[in-house]
Amino acid sequence: MRRSVHFLSGLAALPTLIAFGAHAMSEGASELSGVERVLSKLTKSDSVLINITAGDMPSSPDILHLGRRTRPALERCLADNADAYIRVRCAQILQALGDPAALPALRSALEDWDARVRQRAIRALGAIPHPDSHAALAKLYLRKDEKSYNKTAALASMGALGSHASVKLLRKELRQKPKKNASDRRATAFRSLWRSRHLMARATLASDVSYALGTDYDGLTLAAAEVSAELRERSLVGKLIPLLEHKSSSIRNKSVYALGKIGDKRAATALLKAMPKVREARMLNNIAFALERLDKKAFYPAIQKLIAHKQGVIRLNAAYVIGDVKHPEGLPYLKKALTDPSDYVRTSAVVALGKLGTSDAAAPLRQYVDDPNTTIRQEAIYALHQLSGGKERDLIYDKLFASKYAKSSRGWAMRRRAALALGRAGDKRARKYLVRCFEQGSCTYRGVQTFIEKDKSSRTQGRMLLAWANGRYELTRLLGQKQPKGTLQVATSAFDAAMAGGDRWRAARSMDLLGEVGNAGSRQQLENHLSQRDTSLRMRAAVAAARLGSTQSDQTILSTLDQAPAAWLAALARIVSAITEPEAQKRLEPELKKRSKGSDIELAMASAAVLLAWEPDAGFFRFLDGLSSKKLRERELSARYLKRNRSKKLTSVMRRALARESRAYTRDRLRALLDRR
Amino acid sequence: MIKRKSGVVFATIWLCAACGASTQPPAVPAGPPDQPVPASVPRGEVHGAIDLTPRSDCEEAFDLAVYKNRGVDLITWDDLDGRCVGREVEVTYLTDRLTKQRLLELIRAHSDRFEEKSK
């Protein structure tokens, strides 16, 4: 009983392994003396965790703040501590550290007497993937007395290894129908196989996907329909078409989506046949988009029938789809929908007209700018604004923002939406409303950002400084750009107060602002924190100081990256990416470039992510190599970092790469990443 | 009365449409993958107003078509994402691989209208 309680609390602590811990900020924070003693010995003695109890076990973040130097002690803990709960914790922390040197210890832990320890070791082996882990995982998987959940976890981890032997086993398991009352692990085997797809011939992979599409196990069919959209193999069309009538809505929709992506004209007939029978908006939209790509000539006659359908909800969605495909050919159908008896359909048609991008759509919209239905009136005005390229500000102001209805208590939503639209268009008439709306928390910073950034009023900037001091830290970058009077004083005082009060969150944000606006005094102040035990604070202090010209902090940035747990590297890379000063970038660039080519994949890709943020065009090529790597982990990390960087320049560079890419899997990956942007 | 309900309906169909909107892949190109070009290589720049053929992914379709020419270095768009007509675009190109005349032909071949402007 005691053990199971410990185990559950161990699971509850898992998210803290990902986030930076909160305990290490203050060097003098009160801790249990036993815990402190263990922490102080953790990097010096590899036996310190062998005989400790749960009460003396330091928190996971506190151990992780000490970095990779704790690995030997954690390995001994995993092998020798008598308490299964502690062994589970040590395996978790080894996973978060991500040091490949821990792999032998983790493989040995697959022999642990306790199933929960084995489960944690299985997951860790998946998170620190290496082909050599296959034999140990396969051995565990094939044991008859192994727990079912561990067998499933082992299959999932095998998918991460990048091992040909794993692929062989997974392909066998994919075709293994479970015995009666036994767990069906075919979907897990399939997903793992998909992760390892770069090791397979494309025809073999396509045949496995085709097989999975044809099974009677919905979980497996759904997984196969999902990947079909990325694989885009024409050989799958024959298997996907019958799924348009599958009982599962998810499978039907994924199949339609995949058919649209594959782009084989054979699918058009099937989609046209399915269209009149559709009973859900999502399916109708997916079919319409797929058809629009596959056979434009067939699309408009089909949609014409739907815009005249006897059910209002179908007419509404048909109008919506016409707008979203953005062809001017949709204009006559939308004009017809404007005469629909349903307000919903007319509203949908008004919105759609705004998306057509043709000036011919403006005339029919004008008649609705005074419509008694406030929804139709608003949508017509915003559609006109959109068609005019943002030139209908007066219409928004007069008919919406300053209207009697908008000023009444019932019209607050209309007024706010109008103010936000005016703000995006840089209209100063909305200033008073927008600043107040942001201060009150009724408008997000994102909503008012365009206006606030362009607003030169010193009083607005002063109010933004006040808002920052009250906790609106999303303004940090803005204050750095505008530097209203008093910013440095506020940032310095906020930093002092946060450190004195142990407010880690505020300290971090204050450091960021000091990095934006600080002076030589601030640099000195920040340099005093380069030995912070808290990894995140240490990195923020070093980054802020580096931005202010501190060469001393460069080494802290690099050594913190080198020592950091793998699970924290993405967050640390994001902090370093904030350096915008060319001089500081120039100082760090050679070392980061060196690391980006190193054998430690986690560190390499984190370093490359910083370079990508600094200069997407030059930095992208390391990721193009990564997407095509033989190592699965490198491929997956490359995709993950590319997904996180949302810059428009990177989108353009990725399109350039896709246009010139001939390697099939790299094309698939680039295509999928661009689809999500 | 209608206002709140239609908001829900629109939110739903907006999400649905997002699942469906994208393009077919262009034909697979021959040749090596994209390569970095040193900053020292001479570049030219063309800037102008452009109307793209309206479709759900007009900007991306233009980029994919124009980027096939390896003399095109970088295409940069204005902030009017999602619009096809009345856009502004800037194209930098490698002058030793592509002439300005050829670039203009390329841009016009993949758009409905292009009018060069000085920056």
Side-chain angles (χ1 to χ4, degrees):
Chain A
M1 184 62 189
R2 181 179 153 79
R3 277 194 178 178
S4 63
V5 169
H6 279 159
F7 176 63
L8 288 173
S9 62
L11 285 180
L14 187 56
T16 62
L17 291 175
I18 311 300
F20 295 114
H23 300 287
M25 176 181 159
S26 170
E27 304 298 324
S30 64
E31 297 274 0
L32 291 174
S33 58
V35 171
E36 276 298 339
R37 201 171 49 245
V38 172
L39 275 174
S40 67
K41 288 183 184 170
L42 209 50
T43 55
K44 295 168 196 146
S45 159
D46 61 2
S47 59
V48 67
L49 294 176
I50 293 175
N51 293 311
I52 63 158
T53 60
D56 287 336
M57 181 73 178
S59 75
S60 307
D62 276 350
I63 295 176
L64 289 170
H65 280 302
L66 295 171
R68 293 184 171 201
R69 292 168 299 167
T70 57
R71 179 184 50 79
L74 290 162
E75 288 174 353
R76 291 292 302 275
C77 161
L78 182 60
D80 294 331
N81 195 298
D83 186 338
Y85 158 68
I86 304 265
R87 297 201 301 281
V88 166
R89 290 276 309 278
C90 290
Q92 278 179 323
I93 300 168
L94 280 170
Q95 176 181 333
L97 277 182
D99 188 344
L103 286 174
L106 288 165
R107 286 177 200 138
S108 297
L110 295 181
E111 307 277 348
D112 198 287
W113 277 28
D114 193 292
R116 296 159 301 176
V117 179
R118 294 199 297 278
Q119 185 187 34
R120 184 45 59 185
I122 293 166
R123 289 190 184 169
L125 288 171
I128 315 171
H130 194 286
D132 290 353
S133 296
H134 169 78
L137 283 168
K139 190 177 161 196
L140 174 141
Y141 181 74
L142 296 171
R143 276 185 73 134
K144 287 190 175 148
D145 58 350
E146 187 52 84
K147 297 275 185 195
S148 177
Y149 59 80
N150 276 348
K151 288 190 169 216
T152 305
L155 280 186
S157 286
M158 277 185 221
L161 300 183
S163 148
H164 286 283
S166 291
V167 168
K168 201 172 162 191
L169 188 146
L170 290 165
R171 291 197 72 213
K172 190 177 159 207
E173 290 307 308
L174 173 65
R175 287 169 168 80
Q176 203 80 48
K177 271 202 168 183
K179 288 174 188 159
K180 209 178 172 188
N181 297 327
S183 300
D184 194 334
R185 284 187 277 272
R186 287 180 293 167
T188 308
F190 179 78
R191 288 186 195 279
S192 284
L193 208 49
W194 177 248
R195 283 182 81 182
S196 307
R197 61 192 178 280
H198 63 293
L199 300 176
M200 299 168 71
R202 205 165 171 88
T204 310
L205 178 63
S207 79
D208 285 348
V209 176
S210 177
Y211 168 80
L213 284 171
T215 59
D216 56 0
Y217 174 32
D218 286 2
L220 182 55
T221 309
L222 178 65
E226 275 170 5
V227 305
S228 300
E230 183 170 334
L231 195 59
R232 299 184 187 205
E233 281 292 326
R234 287 177 190 272
S235 61
L236 302 176
V237 171
K239 283 284 176 70
L240 285 164
I241 287 175
L243 297 177
L244 297 181
E245 292 181 4
H246 198 277
K247 63 181 186 296
S248 156
S249 156
S250 295
I251 291 175
R252 288 197 303 271
N253 276 291
K254 297 282 181 193
S255 302
V256 173
Y257 182 66
L259 285 168
K261 290 283 181 188
I262 294 170
D264 189 304
K265 294 240 175 199
R266 279 178 295 164
T269 316
L271 290 168
L272 281 168
K273 205 173 139 197
M275 208 164 174
K277 292 185 271 181
V278 168
R279 286 187 296 192
E280 43 168 338
R282 184 179 162 207
M283 182 77 169
L284 177 66
N285 284 287
N286 277 331
I287 288 181
F289 278 112
L291 261 183
E292 192 260 338
R293 285 192 294 267
L294 293 171
D295 189 351
K296 281 194 181 67
K297 282 183 185 164
F299 172 72
Y300 281 102
I303 205 80
Q304 189 180 5
K305 281 183 195 162
L306 293 180
I307 206 89
H309 198 275
K310 59 189 173 189
Q311 284 184 39
V313 69
I314 294 195
R315 298 197 301 275
L316 177 154
N317 279 288
Y320 177 86
V321 169
I322 292 172
D324 240 45
V325 298
K326 295 182 181 172
H327 281 285
E329 291 98 305
L331 185 59
Y333 308 112
L334 292 176
K335 274 185 179 170
K336 186 170 181 257
L338 287 176
T339 63
D340 199 284
S342 161
D343 280 350
Y344 288 107
V345 179
R346 289 196 298 138
T347 308
S348 181
V350 164
V351 173
L353 280 165
K355 295 178 185 171
L356 288 191
T358 165
S359 52
D360 296 344
L365 286 169
R366 292 266 170 214
Q367 59 185 305
Y368 295 98
V369 298
D370 289 310
D371 200 277
N373 180 316
T374 55
T375 304
I376 293 180
R377 190 195 319 162
Q378 285 186 83
E379 297 305 339
I381 291 170
Y382 289 124
L384 282 165
H385 186 59
Q386 193 177 354
L387 285 171
S388 70
K391 290 175 187 151
E392 292 285 4
R393 289 186 300 177
D394 287 344
L395 203 55
I396 295 176
Y397 185 83
D398 297 335
K399 304 276 183 191
L400 301 176
F401 184 74
S403 72
K404 205 173 160 188
Y405 176 78
K407 286 179 176 173
S408 72
S409 57
R410 288 174 60 210
W412 66 270
M414 177 194 275
R415 191 165 162 84
R416 188 180 62 172
R417 186 179 171 192
L420 291 170
L422 288 169
R424 277 192 295 276
D427 195 315
K428 288 177 185 167
R429 289 174 290 184
R431 176 192 286 144
K432 197 173 158 191
Y433 182 95
L434 288 174
V435 174
R436 188 77 195 116
C437 185
F438 172 70
E439 285 171 340
Q440 287 177 321
S442 308
C443 294
T444 62
Y445 179 57
R446 213 170 162 190
V448 300
Q449 188 173 5
T450 313
F451 180 79
I452 301 280
E453 279 179 358
K454 284 183 187 160
D455 192 4
K456 288 179 181 155
S457 157
S458 61
R459 293 178 71 175
T460 303
Q461 290 168 18
R463 284 167 75 175
M464 292 304 111
L465 178 59
L466 188 62
W468 185 91
N470 286 326
R472 302 297 294 268
Y473 299 125
E474 65 269 43
L475 295 166
T476 303
R477 182 53 61 90
L478 174 87
L479 293 174
Q481 287 163 359
K482 303 276 184 186
Q483 305 212 4
K485 208 173 169 186
T487 305
L488 177 57
Q489 187 75 46
V490 170
T492 308
S493 303
F495 180 55
D496 289 343
M499 293 310 290
D503 185 343
R504 183 180 166 277
W505 178 254
R506 196 171 197 200
R509 268 66 210 169
S510 307
M511 284 179 180
D512 294 347
L513 187 53
L514 282 174
E516 297 272 353
V517 300
N519 56 19
S522 325
R523 190 176 67 208
Q524 180 63 50
Q525 190 185 11
L526 289 160
E527 282 175 345
N528 291 338
H529 293 275
L530 294 182
S531 53
Q532 265 282 347
R533 202 165 77 188
D534 182 302
T535 309
S536 170
L537 283 185
R538 184 169 69 246
M539 185 60 104
R540 280 179 193 275
V543 163
R547 297 183 69 183
L548 300 173
S550 161
T551 49
Q552 180 191 338
S553 55
D554 296 350
Q555 193 46 45
T556 306
I557 292 173
L558 296 167
S559 63
T560 301
L561 281 175
D562 291 343
Q563 275 298 317
W568 289 358
L569 277 170
L572 293 172
R574 211 163 30 238
I575 296 172
V576 185
S577 299
I579 297 176
T580 49
E581 291 70 19
E583 272 186 27
Q585 290 184 352
K586 209 172 159 190
R587 289 199 312 269
L588 289 161
E589 198 180 275
E591 282 297 320
L592 287 172
K593 267 189 181 163
K594 204 163 86 186
R595 282 164 177 76
S596 75
K597 292 171 190 162
S599 59
D600 181 338
I601 297 299
E602 306 282 342
L603 179 62
M605 298 321 293
S607 305
V610 175
L611 297 169
L612 181 75
W614 288 352
E615 183 35 78
D617 196 355
F620 172 71
F621 292 97
R622 175 64 186 87
F623 288 86
L624 191 58
D625 288 345
L627 289 177
S628 318
S629 169
K630 285 180 182 169
K631 292 176 185 159
L632 176 59
R633 183 68 181 156
E634 193 172 344
R635 285 171 173 256
E636 292 188 342
L637 279 173
S638 298
R640 203 175 294 171
Y641 280 115
L642 287 173
K643 218 184 287 180
R644 281 182 184 151
N645 187 319
R646 310 290 298 175
S647 94
K648 281 178 77 173
K649 190 171 184 183
L650 179 60
T651 304
S652 191
V653 169
M654 286 169 71
R655 287 175 184 167
R656 186 180 69 196
L658 176 62
R660 298 169 186 179
E661 184 58 64
S662 56
R663 294 165 292 186
Y665 287 126
T666 311
R667 282 182 63 80
D668 289 349
R669 212 68 203 102
L670 280 170
R671 180 69 274 168
L673 286 165
L674 279 166
D675 283 350
R676 291 191 191 106
R677 289 179 86 81
Chain B
M1 187 63 184
I2 184 174
K3 191 168 52 185
R4 194 170 295 166
K5 283 187 179 174
S6 67
V8 173
V9 173
F10 275 111
T12 312
I13 54 184
W14 177 262
L15 285 173
C16 298
C19 323
S22 195
T23 53
Q24 290 178 43
V28 177
D34 198 20
Q35 304 285 331
V37 180
S40 56
V41 173
R43 285 161 167 88
E45 199 176 284
V46 164
H47 175 255
I50 191 167
D51 290 344
L52 301 170
T53 307
R55 56 187 271 187
S56 52
D57 56 352
C58 53
E59 183 190 301
E60 185 180 88
F62 175 86
D63 283 1
L64 291 176
V66 173
Y67 271 138
K68 275 185 190 158
N69 187 312
R70 289 175 186 253
V72 176
D73 182 44
L74 197 69
I75 304 172
T76 310
W77 291 93
D78 57 19
D79 290 330
L80 300 173
D81 299 352
R83 280 177 62 92
C84 301
V85 178
R87 302 287 307 268
E88 294 221 353
V89 69
E90 184 182 295
V91 183
T92 55
Y93 62 102
L94 308 171
T95 50
D96 56 355
R97 290 194 203 171
L98 185 63
T99 63
K100 183 175 176 183
Q101 188 54 38
R102 176 73 191 104
L103 175 63
L104 290 172
E105 284 169 18
L106 196 60
I107 293 173
R108 289 192 174 113
H110 294 288
S111 63
D112 289 350
R113 182 188 71 93
F114 179 74
E115 190 185 324
E116 195 184 355
K117 283 181 175 178
S118 54
K119 260 188 102 177

